[in-house]
Amino acid sequence: METKNIGLRGIEVADTRISNIDGEKGRLIYRGFDILDLTKNSTFEETAYLLLYDSLPTKQELDEFNGKLIDARYIPKQMQKNMGNWRKDADPMDMLQAFVSALAGYYDEEFSNKDASYEKAINLIAKVPTIVASWHRIRNGLEPMDPDSSLSHAANFLYMMFGERPDPEVEKIFDTCLILHADHTFNASTFTARQVASTRAHMYSASSAAIGALSGELHGGANTEVMKMLLEIGELDKVEGWIKEKMNAGERIMGMGHAVYKTYDPRAQVLKELSRKLAEKTKEPWYDITEKVETTTISEMKSQKDKDIYPNVDLYSASLYYMLKIPMDLNTPIFAISRVVGWAAHIIEEKFAEAAPKPALYRPKATYVGKYCGPEGCEYQTLDLRK
Ligand code: ACO
C-alpha cells in the first residue's frame, strides 16, 4: 500500500455542502460562511440552524428552532436514575456514548425519512447537554437541575452544571466555544458518524459511534490531555524543560499539530484570545503556561525535525474550560455538545443527499499481510493436535 493512503490522508470519499477547511490559509467555512464571521455575529443556535438547514434562519425560523430545542431539553427521569447506578469515577465519554445510544430506546418509532432525522437531530442537540450536566451532578451526589427555558443553549448548560445562571461574559465565551467546535468536515468522529449512517443505521446509533471516536486522545480526548499536561508542568519556568524532555523522547505534545491545517488553526486563534482575556480576569497562570507550551513546541519542532507545527483547537480550549471551572474530564463531552450538530448534519447529508454523486456504503480495501502458507491456505489442525 502506498504510504499516502494510510489513515485515508488526502483521499476524497464524498461530496459535502456542510463545511470546508482551507488548510493552507487557515480558514474554516460553515455552509459558505467564515467561522470568524460566525463567532463575531452569530449565536450557537443560529449556527446550528445554518449547519442543519443550509441557510441562516430568519427571525421566525430561529424562534421556531429555539422553541423546539428548548422543548426537547428534558431527558427521562428514568435515565437520570440509571446514571446513579454507574461508578462515580466512570469516564463521562463512556457514559455519554451509552446514554445517547439509549435515547433510541426511550423515543421514537420513525427513523427512515428525512423529516424524522431532523427531529432526531434536534432531540440530540438539545439532550446531549442535559445528559452531560446530569451526570456531572449525579456523580457528585447532587440532584440534576431541570433545564431553564428562559436561557440560551450555552447559558442553560452552565446553569444545569453549576446550579447558577452564568454572567453574560461567561455565557458569550462559552457560546463562542460551541460555535467553533460545531463542525470540521471529515474529522475522525464525523467520518465515523457518516460511515455508520452509510449502512442506513439511525441518528442515535451513528452519533454514539461518533462519540466513541471523539473520546480518543488523538482526537477530542486531546483537550483533557492538554490540561493534565498543564497541571503537571505547573509553572511557567518549567515549560521549556518539560517540552524538550518529552520531544527528545519522541512523545507528542497534546494540543499541537493537525492533520489538515498547515498554518494556524483559526479556531485556536479565537480560543487563544478568549483564554487570554479570561486569565486576565481570573489571574490564573494557565494562559501564560499554554502560550509557552506553544512557542517551545514550535521551536523544538523546528530544531529537531525542521518542520512547522501549530496549535490545534484543543490547546487553548483546555485552559479556557479550566478557568470556567469545568472539570477536566468534561472537556471532551463539551466538545460533543457542540460537535453533535455537525454529526447530525453529516448523517442527514449521508443518508438523504439529493445531488449526484450520492454517498454509498463505505467499504475500503485492505492489504493482507498476515499468515500465508501457499495458494491452498494453511492446513487446519484439530485442537488435540495443536501444541
Ligand atoms: N508533538 C510532537 N510531534 C508531533 C506532533 C505533536 N503534537 N504532531 C505531529 N508531530 C510530528 C510527528 O511525530 C511526525 O514526526 P515524524 O515525521 O518524524 O514521524 C510529524 O510531526 C508528522 O506527524 P503526523 O502524525 O504524520 O502528523 P499528522 O498531521 O497526521 O498528525 C495529529 C496530526 C494526529 C493531530 C498529530 O499532530 C498529533 O498527534 N497531535 C497531538 C494530539 C492532538 O492534539 N490531537 C487533537 C487534534 S485536533 C482534533 O482532533 C480535535
Side-chain angles (χ1 to χ4, degrees):
M1 195 200 287
E2 284 180 50
T3 312
K4 70 181 162 70
N5 285 1
I6 289 179
L8 293 177
R9 292 291 191 282
I11 307 291
E12 290 176 9
V13 292
D15 287 358
T16 183
R17 296 176 56 83
I18 299 169
S19 60
N20 191 34
I21 302 170
D22 183 336
E24 301 297 328
K25 294 199 179 115
R27 286 190 75 199
L28 171 60
I29 304 291
Y30 292 169
R31 302 275 192 189
F33 294 90
D34 194 301
I35 184 82
L36 299 179
D37 274 348
L38 291 169
T39 53
K40 267 190 222 123
N41 301 310
S42 192
T43 60
F44 171 75
E45 287 87 335
E46 281 178 87
T47 306
Y49 185 100
L50 170 70
L51 284 166
L52 286 176
Y53 297 101
D54 202 22
S55 62
L56 283 167
T58 61
K59 169 88 177 71
Q60 191 189 339
E61 286 166 339
L62 183 61
D63 288 347
E64 275 171 28
F65 183 63
N66 270 339
K68 285 183 187 171
L69 281 175
I70 287 168
D71 288 348
R73 281 177 183 168
Y74 282 87
I75 58 171
K77 292 284 173 212
Q78 188 60 42
M79 193 177 258
Q80 290 171 327
K81 232 172 154 184
N82 289 344
M83 287 180 186
N85 296 326
W86 279 55
R87 275 187 3 249
K88 302 289 172 267
D89 61 347
D91 188 318
M93 285 300 278
D94 292 334
M95 182 282 310
L96 182 60
Q97 186 173 23
F99 284 98
V100 161
S101 223
L103 286 173
Y106 284 97
Y107 301 96
D108 312 299
E109 8 54 73
E110 174 58 60
F111 287 105
S112 58
N113 65 55
K114 196 171 179 179
D115 288 345
S117 291
Y118 277 112
E119 276 170 36
K120 309 289 168 295
I122 289 170
N123 210 24
L124 264 175
I125 296 164
K127 285 182 170 50
V128 166
T130 315
I131 293 174
V132 175
S134 296
W135 170 243
H136 171 65
R137 293 185 69 83
I138 289 166
R139 71 177 177 171
N140 285 305
L142 301 167
E143 271 300 303
M145 302 289 296
D146 281 340
D148 181 336
S149 61
S150 69
L151 296 178
S152 70
H153 198 77
N156 177 59
F157 171 69
L158 296 172
Y159 168 74
M160 289 191 298
M161 283 276 296
F162 301 118
E164 283 172 15
R165 294 170 173 215
D167 78 46
E169 196 182 349
V170 166
E171 176 185 357
K172 176 70 191 142
I173 289 175
F174 193 64
D175 186 76
T176 306
C177 293
L178 294 181
I179 293 173
L180 290 171
H181 287 86
D183 194 46
H184 207 232
T185 74
F186 277 45
N187 58 87
S189 56
T190 303
F191 181 58
T192 302
R194 288 193 73 127
Q195 191 183 0
V196 175
S198 82
T199 70
R200 299 290 173 257
H202 59 64
M203 177 75 73
Y204 298 123
S205 181
S207 301
S208 91
I211 291 168
L214 188 70
S215 70
E217 67 168 21
L218 291 189
H219 188 20
N223 53 17
T224 304
E225 297 306 313
V226 170
M227 201 56 229
K228 284 186 194 160
M229 166 180 76
L230 298 178
L231 290 169
E232 196 183 316
I233 296 173
E235 291 167 33
L236 194 56
D237 56 13
K238 291 197 177 144
V239 174
E240 246 180 73
W242 196 96
I243 296 287
K244 282 184 182 169
E245 192 186 317
K246 296 290 170 190
M247 288 184 73
N248 284 336
E251 288 185 33
R252 289 182 180 225
I253 307 304
M254 292 294 130
M256 295 296 295
H258 199 275
V260 182
Y261 291 110
K262 298 301 160 222
T263 180
Y264 221 100
D265 179 337
R267 303 167 302 169
Q269 255 169 15
V270 178
L271 290 164
K272 183 174 181 178
E273 182 53 17
L274 292 178
S275 174
R276 193 190 60 74
K277 274 195 193 150
L278 201 57
E280 262 177 21
K281 203 170 157 169
T282 66
K283 312 274 180 254
E284 290 172 73
W286 308 114
Y287 170 79
D288 291 338
I289 294 179
T290 312
E291 198 189 26
K292 189 82 182 162
V293 165
E294 175 190 340
T295 51
T296 311
T297 308
I298 290 171
S299 63
E300 274 305 293
M301 192 74 167
K302 202 77 194 157
S303 69
Q304 286 189 15
K305 297 189 176 171
D306 195 24
K307 281 185 178 165
D308 293 324
I309 191 163
Y310 299 91
N312 62 49
V313 70
D314 290 319
L315 189 72
Y316 286 96
S317 63
S319 54
L320 189 62
Y321 291 154
Y322 196 76
M323 289 185 278
L324 289 176
K325 308 278 178 263
I326 287 168
M328 252 186 335
D329 65 353
L330 293 190
N331 286 0
T332 318
I334 284 170
F335 195 149
I337 285 177
S338 167
R339 184 56 59 84
V340 68
V341 176
W343 296 331
H346 280 274
I347 292 166
I348 291 171
E349 185 176 72
E350 182 67 40
K351 290 173 94 166
F352 303 105
E354 276 147 24
K358 291 190 182 183
L361 177 73
Y362 289 103
R363 188 23 178 126
K365 277 169 68 177
T367 310
Y368 179 67
V369 294
K371 192 192 283 290
Y372 181 74
C373 311
E376 303 303 322
C378 299
E379 186 187 341
Y380 185 88
Q381 288 192 319
T382 52
L383 194 54
D384 54 320
L385 293 175
R386 280 178 235 154
K387 290 194 181 117

